[in-house]
Amino acid sequence: MAVGIGIAGAGTVGGTLVRRLMADRAMVTARTGLDLEVRRVVVRDLTKERAFSLPPGMVTADVMDLVTDDSVDLVVEVMGGLEPAGTLVLAALQAGKPVVTANKELIAARAPQLVAAAAASRVPLLFEAAVGGGIPIIRPLAETLAGEQMSRVMGIVNGTTNFILSAMTEQGWSYRDALAEAQRLEYAEADPSADVSGADAVAKAAILAGLAFGVWVDPARVHREGIERISGEDLAAARRLGYVVKLLAVAERTPAGVVARVHPAMVPLDHPLAAIRGATNAVFLSGAAVGELLFAGPGAGGDPTATAVLGDVIDAARELLSGSQVAPRIAFGVGEVAAFDEVETRWCLRLEVEDSPGVLARIAAAFGDAGVSLRSVWQDGRGDRATLLLVTHRAPERAQRAALAGLVVLDVVVEVASTIRVEGDG
Ligand SMILES: NC(=O)c1ccc[n+]([C@@H]2O[C@H](COP(=O)([O-])OP(=O)(O)OC[C@H]3O[C@@H](n4cnc5c(N)ncnc54)[C@H](OP(=O)(O)O)[C@@H]3O)[C@@H](O)[C@H]2O)c1
């Protein structure tokens, strides 16, 4: 018996998915025993040329067609955005149809409601493509590692920003030139703000935190800093100290609860994430029993992402045909979300200071007063001025910020040129 697939969205991901479901139908049947048939595709603009051809009437413009059409057994949402995607996904789940989505924004914003609707209808809600595109990371976290005590998740989950930072580091390009090249290669959109501000990575950090720790983290509670202010001097400073700068999504368990954050970070050159260059994505997991795991690969693109979506479609179709009353694969609500202030971080500060006797002692005292100790100091004197690179030991964020407040008022500190956290280094 064929499983009827309805797909909302036929752009980069959806268009590729439709084409592959049609072209690879026999292959999928041979490998899985499932016959997957595209029965309806919903798009916004019915006049647009598509890379596939379907019989007239099969392509429509109303997403609710996927819920009301009885020939659609399984709904794929690959159009993006909160609405009408959210209404469609909820209605499909309530109608007892399994849903596969690639929509990180929707899952991050409404996971508790959607997961509950899936559980109530006992149908799967799968979203492997929502984080890391073609990298299998959701299923490993939700299923393979369900019995593991995870301690930390650290990811490079935005290819655009990793491309920009890699080009600045390796080619010596300015931020502006690297962004222009990313746009030329279509890694970055004309309006790159969602990527460079860290907003895209926030949704993924929230999802990773939810899966790793069983706690839903509202994206509004994920601390966010983008890469817009990273300069060539910051990258040179990182290199001098043996680090490379990456935009990281970090989720971890602290004594006060789970904390998720997105910000640029210095990563040691010998850390596995330091080797992730260009538009590649990677997620580095630390667990009490399993140790360290690295998942890496293409984080976007029509084909890699469609592969992840297709895997979910096969999985959901299998469950549908087996008639099993599936238990939800994820559940939230087994812990607290803590404030960003609670997390312990290490900072690297780049300072311009007066080069005179006693300056270092006064700077060290400002850190000491805030309860932050210094791990290393690198100094480059140039007559009456000097550049200092200070790396701290771990201390709560609020203490690091108090130390910074104590520094900026010192008359010997000309400028705090930048502060970048250090991750993956003890
Ligand atoms: N692109 C990637 O590499 C990638 C990777 C991972 C996850 N994702 C996620 O996958 C989803 C789709 O991304 P995409 O890059 O494929 O987007 P896209 O190229 O912009 O395609 C969006 C599709 O949805 C349709 N659509 C949008 N609003 C609609 C509405 N109100 N009613 C009916 N159809 C509507 C569009 O129709 P028209 O064609 O008529 O405009 C288009 O076919 C997003 O959630 C994204 O975050 C994408």
Side-chain angles (χ1 to χ4, degrees), residues 27 32 42 47-48 69 82 101 108 136 141 155 157-158 195 206 246 253 277 283 295 348 371 378 385 388 401 411 413:
M27 183 273 281
T32 67
V42 178
T47 63
K48 224 187 245 181
D69 182 345
L82 288 180
T101 176
L141 266 176
V157 292
N158 182 274
D195 291 320
K246 299 287 183 189
R253 193 187 288 286
R277 302 165 50 227
V283 179
F295 297 75
C348 175
W378 179 93
R385 289 276 172 89
L388 286 186
R401 278 202 293 275
D411 53 4
V413 174

Side-chain angles (χ1 to χ4, degrees), residues 3-58:
V3 176
I5 314 292
I7 302 167
T12 306
V13 180
T16 309
L17 179 70
V18 175
R19 190 172 45 74
R20 285 184 46 191
L21 273 168
M22 292 165 69
D24 298 343
R25 186 169 170 182
M27 183 273 281
V28 169
T29 304
R31 288 182 62 174
T32 67
L34 297 165
D35 185 15
L36 306 178
E37 185 174 49
V38 179
R39 299 232 170 106
R40 189 175 284 276
V41 174
V42 178
V43 294
R44 190 168 26 199
D45 180 356
L46 290 170
T47 63
K48 224 187 245 181
E49 277 227 4
R50 307 283 166 185
F52 52 85
S53 77
L54 287 167
M58 213 187 256

Side-chain angles (χ1 to χ4, degrees), residues 269-291:
L269 283 167
D270 60 358
H271 190 282
L273 289 178
I276 306 302
R277 302 165 50 227
T280 305
N281 280 201
V283 179
F284 185 77
L285 304 177
S286 309
V290 78

Side-chain angles (χ1 to χ4, degrees), residues 75-402:
V75 171
V76 181
E77 186 278 301
V78 276
M79 56 191 205
L82 288 180
E83 286 299 342
T87 301
L88 163 67
V89 169
L90 186 61
L93 292 170
Q94 287 170 338
K97 298 189 182 193
V99 172
V100 172
T101 176
N103 191 336
K104 69 219 145 203
E105 196 189 349
L106 177 64
I107 293 296
R110 303 198 193 152
Q113 180 196 26
L114 299 177
V115 167
S121 294
R122 294 199 155 266
V123 290
L125 166 65
L126 303 179
F127 46 91
E128 182 60 68
V131 181
I135 308 171
I137 180 66
I138 301 294
R139 188 171 281 101
L141 266 176
E143 297 181 27
T144 322
L145 297 166
E148 175 68 20
Q149 277 282 357
M150 301 305 303
S151 50
R152 209 146 195 267
V153 179
M154 205 156 74
I156 295 171
V157 292
N158 182 274
T160 307
T161 45
N162 203 52
F163 176 87
I164 292 171
L165 291 172
S166 298
M168 289 173 72
T169 302
E170 294 165 23
Q171 320 290 340
W173 290 353
S174 67
Y175 170 76
R176 190 185 289 263
D177 288 348
L179 172 59
E181 180 66 359
Q183 285 169 322
R184 193 184 68 78
L185 294 171
E186 296 185 0
Y187 291 141
E189 301 196 11
D191 174 5
S193 52
D195 291 320
V196 299
S197 71
D200 169 83
V202 159
K204 295 166 179 171
I207 294 172
L208 290 173
L211 292 165
F213 304 113
V215 178
W216 182 64
V217 181
D218 186 327
R221 294 196 68 185
V222 178
H223 176 82
R224 173 175 64 85
E225 293 169 36
I227 65 162
E228 304 97 320
R229 293 210 302 266
I230 297 293
S231 67
E233 285 85 5
D234 293 328
L235 301 179
R239 194 165 36 244
R240 177 157 287 130
L241 300 176
Y243 300 111
V244 63
V245 176
K246 299 287 183 189
L247 181 73
L248 293 188
V250 184
E252 65 206 307
R253 193 187 288 286
T254 75
V258 172
V259 179
R261 52 194 165 105
V262 169
H263 54 71
M266 292 192 186
V267 176
L269 283 167
D270 60 358
H271 190 282
L273 289 178
I276 306 302
R277 302 165 50 227
T280 305
N281 280 201
V283 179
F284 185 77
L285 304 177
S286 309
V290 78
E292 295 175 339
L293 299 170
L294 179 74
F295 297 75
D303 260 313
T305 309
T307 291
V309 175
L310 191 47
D312 277 351
V313 169
I314 289 168
D315 190 353
R318 209 174 255 147
E319 269 184 20
L320 188 73
L321 286 187
S322 76
S324 63
Q325 295 275 294
V326 288
R329 300 185 196 192
I330 44 175
F332 297 114
V334 294
E336 295 294 316
V337 176
F340 180 57
D341 268 3
E342 299 294 334
V343 76
E344 291 205 334
T345 54
R346 289 178 51 211
W347 281 27
C348 175
L349 301 95
R350 184 161 60 85
L351 308 185
E352 291 299 312
V353 299
E354 285 179 12
D355 199 356
S356 55
V359 169
L360 269 182
R362 291 184 63 194
I363 288 172
F367 281 95
D369 290 346
V372 178
S373 59
L374 290 174
R375 172 163 150 164
S376 68
V377 178
W378 179 93
Q379 179 171 0
D380 180 23
R382 300 177 309 281
D384 59 346
R385 289 276 172 89
T387 299
L388 286 186
L389 300 179
L390 308 171
V391 179
T392 73
H393 280 291
R394 278 194 177 278
E397 266 293 317
R398 87 180 90 74
Q400 300 281 15
R401 278 202 293 275

